[in-house]
Amino acid sequence: MEGEPASKRSRLEHHRGFSDCSSFHMEDLPEEIQPLVLSLLSLKEAARTSLVSKNWRKLWTRYPNLCFDGSKDESADMASVKIERAKFIETANSIIKQHSGIGLNKFSVRWYSHLMESDILNRWICFAAASKAKIIDLNLWPQGNHVGPTKQVLHFPLEALGAQDHPFIQCLFLTNVSIKPHSDICGFTKLRSLHLHCIQIIGDLLGLLLNCPSLEDLEVIACSGVTDLNIPHQLDKLRHLVISNMRIQMVELHVPNLSRFGYNGGTAIPIVLHGCSKLQKATLTFHRTWLEEDNNKVLGHVFHGIPSISAVKVLHVHASMHTNYPVWSSQVHTLTTRPACMFLNLRHLTYEILFFTKAPNRYSGILQLSQYLAFAPQLETLELHMAYHVSVSRCWHGEGVSYSMHRHDHLKTVYMSGFRCFRAQVALLCSILEMGAVLEQVTIEPMVRIPYSCDLLNLGIPRDKICEWAHRTSERFGKVITVAERPEQRCSYAISVERL
């Protein structure tokens, strides 16, 4: 019995000793590891660690990511806005003043442009540059909901990042400021991502890009001051390129390793991307309402006008077709010239088409696809989303005439939304059913699916008539046709194998 207390003491001493050996001391970690641990906390939580121990009081001053977000609803009264402005700037200044600048990875500011002063902005950017921040993200929100460069736009000092001896900046994201790039600018040899949104460009943007040999990701959206994007230098590391809402006349780049490309503009401009044999995905949007004489060109512009994307595997196109007085043509418009390239690698094609017409049953423009699909012989998936800007119109109750179309030996999946049995829709789908040798899944959806709308649109569609047509057409071609009402509810019509 006397030995029992001694054994207990021995076990307690053993556990106590084990605990002491395995205890965690933040200050014992290497200095380069401490910021990584802090990055798992929020800035407020990291600052609170100073209360834990005297040795930790300065630990938070090496927090790697300083992100100041003061964007709030501007519907508040001016007095509260002034208070918020003073509090935001005072808090940011206090943190920047106490921060050591060591190990800074990201410096981000989101604030209203009309509440920011240029001298304050310059001090903050100079701090980020002196701390050699790898990521700088500056988004100065314009007053109200105005889109584009504001009248009171502030200047971003690119020269502050020009450390030629030891370049540090890797990602630069700028929104609603002005910049003055030039060909002699330095310090951007390590830059991998450059996003310019709503920027007033005063100077030589191409000169800046030529000094970014490591650039992999480039976005130029709604910027002013650029008329052409023509870079003779080879950007051999650029993989992601987006050009949107720009008033430019042409695009010409040497991008041998480009894998993703996006263009969003009002008109079809010359686009030449030299050597992009590794292109995986392209998204093209043309907002312009095409003239009646251009209707035969709009669907095929990607085949005729942009031959440099012929290596793409996934292609997404958004376009508009417009005519005031459509007349049904008994024959599809014959191509006068063969497209300059074949889309031999294209596997997935998506078309989003907005139709501006008064009589959809008399308009046959969409049938141009029956010819252009021939230039994608390896196509496996076709998505066609249609939206007609007309009031409720009668369906076409005919059986549908199949038009001349190339045989497709790889097309397996077809999905059409906004399918209301208009005459051209019926004719196009019948052609696909007839020439799709290995079709496995055909789905038509009366609802209008467009990504620019929050909800699916139903314009008084007589769904029962569409279901009747799907049943008859299914028996006619011996292919399964699924009519989708909602994403979770579908009904299928197919002729049984025994009856075949």
Side-chain angles (χ1 to χ4, degrees):
M1 296 295 293
E2 294 179 357
E4 185 175 350
S7 63
K8 288 184 177 180
R9 285 197 301 271
S10 177
R11 287 196 298 271
L12 288 173
E13 290 173 358
H14 172 74
H15 288 297
R16 191 177 294 117
F18 179 79
S19 176
D20 292 340
C21 293
S22 62
S23 61
F24 171 75
H25 299 283
M26 186 73 156
E27 58 270 21
D28 294 336
L29 290 174
E31 290 188 358
E32 62 272 15
I33 300 299
Q34 293 178 14
L36 296 178
V37 177
L38 284 177
S39 66
L40 301 176
L41 306 174
S42 67
L43 178 58
K44 183 181 293 187
E45 291 171 338
R48 287 176 178 173
T49 61
S50 61
L51 304 176
V52 177
S53 169
K54 292 182 179 180
N55 297 329
W56 287 18
R57 287 184 179 177
K58 296 294 183 181
L59 189 61
W60 78 270
T61 63
R62 300 182 64 178
Y63 191 76
N65 300 319
L66 295 183
C67 302
F68 304 109
D69 190 349
S71 54
K72 291 186 177 180
D73 185 9
E74 283 203 6
S75 61
D77 58 90
M78 285 302 299
S80 63
V81 170
K82 291 180 179 179
I83 294 174
E84 291 293 339
R85 173 185 181 274
K87 183 178 180 180
F88 175 79
I89 294 178
E90 180 184 357
T91 301
N93 281 333
S94 176
I95 293 174
I96 290 174
K97 184 177 181 179
Q98 298 180 67
H99 198 279
S100 66
I102 300 174
L104 185 62
N105 177 64
K106 181 178 181 179
F107 183 81
S108 173
V109 176
R110 277 171 166 74
W111 187 233
Y112 294 105
S113 59
H114 65 289
L115 298 178
M116 177 67 73
E117 298 177 2
S118 59
D119 58 339
I120 296 175
L121 176 62
N122 288 338
R123 287 202 306 268
W124 291 359
I125 298 303
C126 288
F127 160 77
S131 303
K132 292 181 168 45
K134 298 178 182 178
I135 305 172
I136 295 181
D137 184 356
L138 179 63
N139 187 342
L140 298 185
W141 292 30
Q143 186 172 10
N145 295 321
H146 176 70
V147 178
T150 62
K151 294 182 179 180
Q152 299 178 345
V153 64
L154 296 180
H155 175 67
F156 180 88
L158 290 174
E159 292 77 9
L161 309 181
Q164 187 174 8
D165 51 348
H166 297 291
F168 56 88
I169 187 70
Q170 296 182 12
C171 302
L172 181 60
F173 309 125
L174 301 178
T175 303
N176 283 307
V177 295
S178 70
I179 59 174
K180 294 182 179 180
H182 52 83
S183 58
D184 296 329
I185 201 164
C186 59
F188 293 90
T189 56
K190 288 187 177 181
L191 188 67
R192 293 185 290 106
S193 295
L194 176 61
H195 291 192
L196 303 177
H197 295 187
C198 302
I199 301 296
Q200 288 185 0
I201 301 175
I202 308 171
D204 185 11
L205 175 63
L206 304 183
L208 170 63
L209 297 179
L210 289 176
N211 288 294
C212 303
S214 301
L215 196 62
E216 300 176 2
D217 178 17
L218 174 62
E219 290 189 6
V220 187
I221 299 176
C223 297
S224 62
V226 178
T227 56
D228 292 325
L229 200 56
N230 186 351
I231 303 180
H233 182 73
Q234 188 177 49
L235 298 178
D236 55 358
K237 293 187 178 180
L238 189 63
R239 289 175 173 80
H240 180 209
L241 174 62
V242 174
I243 302 171
S244 178
N245 295 325
M246 297 285 294
R247 295 183 178 180
I248 55 179
Q249 303 301 318
M250 70 169 300
V251 175
E252 184 171 2
L253 303 175
H254 294 256
V255 280
N257 291 310
L258 191 69
S259 61
R260 296 178 61 188
F261 171 65
Y263 172 78
N264 186 332
T267 58
I269 64 173
I271 299 177
V272 181
L273 307 176
H274 296 282
C276 54
S277 59
K278 299 180 180 179
L279 193 61
Q280 297 289 320
K281 183 176 182 179
T283 301
L284 306 173
T285 301
F286 305 105
H287 288 301
R288 174 188 170 188
T289 301
W290 292 75
L291 301 176
E292 185 173 355
E293 59 267 21
D294 292 330
N295 276 328
N296 290 326
K297 303 175 183 178
V298 57
L299 295 184
H301 178 70
V302 294
F303 296 92
H304 283 286
I306 316 177
S308 53
I309 66 168
S310 59
V312 71
K313 294 183 178 180
V314 179
L315 179 59
H316 192 140
V317 183
H318 177 91
S320 301
M321 301 187 74
H322 179 216
T323 181
N324 290 322
Y325 302 100
V327 177
W328 179 262
S329 175
S330 59
Q331 295 182 350
V332 178
H333 173 74
T334 303
L335 298 179
T336 57
T337 59
R338 180 184 179 89
C341 57
M342 295 286 288
F343 283 64
L344 297 178
N345 297 325
L346 188 60
R347 300 295 189 272
H348 192 136
L349 175 61
T350 300
Y351 261 100
E352 296 171 6
I353 308 177
L354 301 178
F355 295 94
F356 297 86
T357 178
K358 295 181 178 179
N361 272 323
R362 299 174 59 195
Y363 181 50
S364 59
I366 195 177
L367 290 176
Q368 293 304 312
L369 277 179
S370 63
Q371 293 193 43
Y372 285 111
L373 292 179
F375 303 105
Q378 304 296 320
L379 189 65
E380 297 177 356
T381 301
L382 172 63
E383 292 188 38
L384 184 58
H385 304 284
M386 299 162 285
Y388 287 79
H389 285 249
V390 294
S391 58
V392 179
S393 179
R394 292 182 179 180
C395 295
W396 171 254
H397 298 297
E399 293 298 328
V401 178
S402 298
Y403 281 81
S404 176
M405 188 174 185
H406 187 271
R407 178 183 171 91
H408 282 274
D409 294 325
H410 298 274
L411 187 61
K412 297 180 180 179
T413 304
V414 175
Y415 191 100
M416 293 185 177
S417 71
F419 191 92
R420 302 170 63 189
C421 279
F422 292 143
R423 190 175 182 181
Q425 293 178 332
V426 169
L428 177 61
L429 183 53
C430 286
S431 299
I432 293 175
L433 290 169
E434 183 175 10
M435 302 309 294
V438 294
L439 271 178
E440 297 177 354
Q441 184 178 3
V442 177
T443 303
I444 57 176
E445 183 175 1
M447 310 291 282
V448 177
R449 278 183 176 269
I450 49 178
Y452 314 101
S453 175
C454 298
D455 301 314
L456 300 181
L457 303 179
N458 189 329
L459 306 177
I461 301 168
R463 187 174 182 276
D464 57 336
K465 299 295 183 180
I466 297 177
C467 289
E468 291 177 7
W469 177 87
H471 179 68
R472 296 195 310 269
T473 307
S474 172
E475 291 186 334
R476 175 184 172 187
F477 291 98
K479 304 283 179 65
V480 175
I481 300 178
T482 300
V483 181
E485 181 178 11
R486 297 185 182 90
E488 68 278 4
Q489 293 183 1
R490 301 176 186 274
C491 59
S492 297
Y493 296 92
I495 185 169
S496 64
V497 177
E498 290 79 10
R499 293 179 60 184
L500 289 175

